[in-house]
Amino acid sequence: MSLSTCDGVRSMTGQGHASDEGTLGTIRVEVRTVNNRGLKCNLRLSDSLSAMEGKVDALVRSLISRGSVSLSVSYRQPAGLSIPPINVDVLTAYANKLAEVKAGVVGDAVVSIDLASLMTLPGVISSDRGERSEDEGLWQFVRGAIDAAMSNLDQMRQTEGSNMATSLRSDAAVIAERLEQIRELAPGAADHYRNRLESKIQRILTEREIESQPIDLLREVQIYADRVDISEEITRLESHLQMFDSVIAGEAEQNGNAKSGGRPEPMGRKLDFVIQEMFRETNTIGSKASDSSISAHVVEIKCAIERMRELVQNLE
């Protein structure tokens, strides 16, 4: 089994279960996942399956990339296998040998041979517990139940992830709308700042009776005015929004999967990095733009980004 990785966003939170019954016994699997920065597996297996713990751990890690996973596997052998088989040949051999020893040591004296004691001798009770744990047929039986439980878990995580993706796209649309309004306001805000700065400098020069060439004044004003230019930040924030949308759509995952030939990296980490960059550019816009209308849009963008950040922390 391999979980599909190109059909949407997945939540890290979910649960799944499965059970099966056959000639090899009865098995029940329960799995739960919660948020975690990396991948953490907590396995609980029946004693008779303890030798399979390594295989189960590897299987879980091949199906889940991120989160804290709690997997419980309960297994009960068929009724006929509940009593360990007795090796009659070995038991008979012990009894015959003891009879020979008894005849040679005590002769015809009556000496009882305790059957219960014979049962404790090596080889009389056949223990196939270790052998069954390594049996390929039993492993396939166990794996089938785990696969079914993981598939059930994946469906739940996909459903929740789809709802989260809808919210993320909605907030991204809010950011794009606010950013477009900032783009329209930016030239006027820059001109207003430039004119205000020029008037202030001119007033100070006049008050102090300092003569200055117009070209020098314009050059100094332009140097300071350039510091409030936010066109580059707007362009970069738009680029981050496009990257965010492509990751949500699965394009980045598909490309990465095609290049590596394996399972792509978790989407949540990539979205988290993109959001960090979006917040950085928004902060810069807010600090550079000296316009109350732009500041109001920046506040709304930050609120949307914060909502997105909280959701992304729950994505695989």
Side-chain angles (χ1 to χ4, degrees):
M1 172 191 172
S2 62
L3 303 182
S4 173
T5 57
C6 59
D7 54 352
V9 183
R10 278 179 175 75
S11 168
M12 275 193 286
T13 304
Q15 60 183 3
H17 57 84
S19 59
D20 195 8
E21 184 174 357
T23 58
L24 293 177
T26 303
I27 190 169
R28 179 174 178 80
V29 178
E30 295 183 356
V31 58
R32 296 177 183 271
T33 58
V34 294
N35 300 354
N36 196 54
R37 291 181 62 87
L39 177 59
K40 179 181 179 181
C41 296
N42 179 28
L43 307 179
R44 290 189 303 162
L45 308 180
S46 294
D47 290 342
S48 56
L49 302 178
S50 59
M52 292 184 181
E53 184 170 348
K55 289 183 177 181
V56 173
D57 183 78
L59 177 60
V60 172
R61 292 179 181 276
S62 70
L63 300 176
I64 296 181
S65 299
R66 191 181 179 205
S68 181
V69 185
S70 297
L71 179 73
S72 173
V73 182
S74 175
Y75 172 66
R76 187 173 69 250
Q77 294 179 337
L81 297 178
S82 60
I83 301 177
I86 300 174
N87 194 323
V88 178
D89 293 337
V90 174
L91 179 61
T92 302
Y94 276 126
N96 292 337
K97 192 64 178 179
L98 287 175
E100 293 178 9
V101 173
K102 185 197 72 161
V105 175
V106 298
D108 295 332
V110 177
V111 177
S112 62
I113 298 177
D114 185 10
L115 186 60
S117 298
L118 291 180
M119 297 289 289
T120 63
L121 295 175
V124 176
I125 301 295
S126 297
S127 176
D128 62 350
R129 174 176 165 181
E131 295 174 0
R132 290 194 61 79
S133 295
E134 294 298 328
D135 181 72
E136 183 63 23
L138 179 58
W139 164 241
Q140 293 301 326
F141 179 61
V142 172
R143 175 168 184 167
I146 294 176
D147 280 346
M150 297 295 281
S151 178
N152 185 241
L153 166 73
D154 191 54
Q155 291 176 8
M156 180 176 180
R157 286 166 29 119
Q158 280 190 61
T159 300
E160 185 174 342
S162 178
N163 295 333
M164 295 166 71
T166 300
S167 296
L168 288 170
R169 287 193 173 99
S170 177
D171 282 323
V174 170
I175 295 174
E177 180 182 351
R178 296 284 180 171
L179 189 59
E180 183 59 31
Q181 295 183 48
I182 290 176
R183 182 190 291 280
E184 295 176 0
L185 292 170
D191 290 340
H192 177 71
Y193 177 81
R194 185 181 296 106
N195 294 335
R196 188 176 60 184
L197 182 61
E198 183 178 353
S199 299
K200 185 175 183 180
I201 294 176
Q202 186 65 58
R203 185 177 67 253
I204 294 174
L205 292 176
T206 301
E207 290 174 354
R208 299 187 179 184
E209 298 181 349
I210 299 175
E211 293 186 2
S212 174
Q213 295 295 326
I215 187 65
D216 296 330
L217 176 60
L218 290 175
R219 182 170 58 248
E220 294 302 319
V221 169
Q222 188 61 40
I223 290 174
Y224 283 96
D226 286 343
R227 296 182 181 179
V228 299
D229 181 24
I230 57 175
S231 57
E232 290 186 7
E233 287 75 12
I234 292 175
T235 300
R236 284 196 291 266
L237 183 50
E238 285 182 332
S239 176
H240 296 329
L241 279 172
Q242 292 173 2
M243 171 62 75
F244 191 90
D245 184 66
S246 70
V247 175
I248 286 287
E251 295 173 11
E253 266 65 28
Q254 293 178 32
N255 294 336
N257 195 31
K259 292 179 181 179
S260 64
R263 199 172 194 271
E265 295 181 3
M267 184 182 294
R269 284 197 181 99
K270 292 184 179 181
L271 293 177
D272 193 25
F273 292 147
V274 174
I275 285 178
Q276 290 179 30
E277 295 302 315
M278 290 167 59
F279 194 80
R280 183 177 293 111
E281 299 300 338
T282 303
N283 261 340
T284 304
I285 292 173
S287 62
K288 291 178 67 174
S290 57
D291 182 88
S292 59
S293 297
I294 291 180
S295 297
H297 291 306
V298 167
V299 170
E300 293 300 325
I301 290 177
K302 285 185 175 181
C303 290
I305 289 177
E306 192 59 35
R307 291 193 297 268
M308 295 167 72
R309 191 202 304 274
E310 292 179 1
L311 281 180
V312 165
Q313 299 303 317
N314 298 321
L315 294 181
E316 182 183 16

